[in-house]
Amino acid sequence: MTTPRTFRIAAIPADGVGKEVVAAGRQVLDALAADSTGADAFAFDWQEFDWGCEYYARTGKMMADDGLDQLKDFDAIYFGAVGWPTVPDDVSLWGLRLKICQNFDQWANIRPVHFLPGVVSPLRKADGTELDWVVVRENSEGEYAGLGGRNLSGRGPGGEVAVQSSLFTEVGCDRIIRFAFDLARTRTRRKVSSVTKSNAQQYGMVLWDEAFKRVAAEYPDVETESVLVDAMAAKFVLHPEDLSVVVASNLNADILSDLGSALAGSLGLAASANLNPERRFPSMFEPVHGTAPDIAGQGLANPIGAVGSAALMLEHLGLPDQAARLNKAIEQTTAAGALPCDLGGSATTDEVTKTLIDALNP
């Protein structure tokens, strides 16, 4: 009798609809694992952590003091969404999600943009053109490095000064750009589009541009372009068929990937992976959407982004066939019309989850 390979996963639902979509994703993953057999059998050993804004209300902290030590030996982290109106966003984000990302050096953030069957896109071009690209986001420095401070409040109202510094390093630029080129080599169209703003940001983004040119020379088989961020925002709308892999700094990729998901139909569809490619620390997988306080607890949350993130987790864990199976189930679910409210449908979270599980075993 074959012993299934067991993956230890830390689940952090956190806040709002994060709790609902992580629960849904776990149901789908467990159903997938239960159907695995023989030498390909696998299972999940889940441990859930109650960190988030409710934990903050009880303790004054977003996560336990030794939280990173508790997480470091897991195979992966499955994250929901963080933030709530009772806690300032900078406190909730820096106290949990960014604390994990930065301390575990999850420097590569992957955000695919998928146009799913049965989902109406606001982009007219999507009706007759096959569109599929991925945004690769530098996830450890750039505009979210957290460098700076506030001072001179003693001057009185209107006299305070805030300084927020971006950080660009050769190491940081080189590794994320090289990651993007390696990813492009796995895709049908081998192309990397670099997003820059070096016409206005003459230090950090010029360093980025120089790194892109240097790394691109090592990949003569990959097509390249360098596009200013404002022009790239327009290209997402006007010429998305020309995109394959888009690599950008922390802030630019954050904004552009949200635009891409909106063009695909909803942020509720958007999956992401925060990777430590060297595997010195566990990587973290999460949907891109927020906590949605307006619908939290009503059973209306869209679990597709969380399930798509689970597929990225399976890929990272060395289960590409199972990841493909899960992505196919997502396509079958939307094609069947099991759409939640953010996609113009009326399906509940439980109904979408059930349809996803049923699609795994047609």
Side-chain angles (χ1 to χ4, degrees), residues 195-241:
V195 178
T196 184
K197 194 59 180 173
S198 51
N199 58 341
Q201 295 176 294
Q202 73 272 42
Y203 302 122
M205 294 260 61
V206 168
L207 178 64
W208 174 278
D209 289 350
E210 291 170 353
F212 184 70
K213 290 178 183 177
R214 180 171 60 250
V215 174
E218 302 173 19
Y219 295 82
D221 56 316
V222 178
E223 184 183 354
T224 65
E225 66 176 351
S226 182
V227 183
L228 295 176
V229 63
D230 38 355
M232 182 58 80
K235 188 167 188 171
F236 266 44
V237 176
L238 299 176
H239 300 292
E241 72 281 0

Side-chain angles (χ1 to χ4, degrees), residues 333-346:
T333 296
T334 59
L339 304 177
C341 59
D342 63 309
L343 297 177
S346 58

Side-chain angles (χ1 to χ4, degrees), residues 30-234:
D30 285 339
L32 190 67
D35 192 52
S36 64
T37 59
D40 296 325
F42 65 97
F44 296 104
D45 177 12
W46 297 96
Q47 182 173 340
E48 186 163 309
F49 296 85
D50 66 345
W51 303 329
C53 290
E54 290 182 9
Y55 185 88
Y56 182 86
R58 299 194 308 268
T59 67
K61 302 170 184 177
M62 288 298 297
M63 66 186 299
D65 288 337
D66 64 345
L68 295 172
D69 283 337
Q70 292 187 51
L71 293 174
K72 63 183 177 62
D73 292 326
F74 281 88
D75 294 308
I77 303 166
Y78 193 41
F79 194 87
V82 64
W84 201 247
T86 56
V87 180
D89 288 342
D90 61 307
V91 172
S92 59
L93 188 64
W94 279 96
L96 186 56
R97 184 193 173 277
L98 286 178
K99 186 172 183 177
I100 295 170
C101 285
Q102 293 206 342
N103 283 281
F104 284 170
D105 200 21
Q106 295 168 350
W107 52 266
N109 180 229
I110 310 306
R111 296 187 173 187
V113 179
H114 289 314
F115 290 73
L116 294 169
V119 176
V120 177
S121 166
L123 194 63
R124 285 185 298 173
K125 185 166 283 189
D127 294 340
T129 307
E130 186 168 340
L131 303 173
D132 179 57
W133 69 92
V134 59
V135 176
V136 174
R137 172 187 178 189
E138 200 293 312
N139 208 38
S140 66
E141 51 182 51
E143 303 86 353
Y144 293 177
L147 302 178
R150 295 173 63 173
N151 211 332
L152 305 181
S153 60
R155 290 179 174 179
E160 190 171 7
V161 174
V163 176
Q164 188 83 40
S165 298
S166 298
L167 173 70
F168 290 85
T169 68
E170 285 192 62
V171 169
C173 294
D174 279 9
R175 67 183 183 178
I176 194 64
I177 291 169
R178 185 167 283 106
F179 183 96
F181 273 93
D182 288 336
L183 178 61
R185 279 181 166 171
T186 70
R187 294 174 59 83
T188 302
R189 183 172 186 186
R190 295 183 171 191
K191 179 180 179 180
V192 177
S193 303
S194 172
V195 178
T196 184
K197 194 59 180 173
S198 51
N199 58 341
Q201 295 176 294
Q202 73 272 42
Y203 302 122
M205 294 260 61
V206 168
L207 178 64
W208 174 278
D209 289 350
E210 291 170 353
F212 184 70
K213 290 178 183 177
R214 180 171 60 250
V215 174
E218 302 173 19
Y219 295 82
D221 56 316
V222 178
E223 184 183 354
T224 65
E225 66 176 351
S226 182
V227 183
L228 295 176
V229 63
D230 38 355
M232 182 58 80

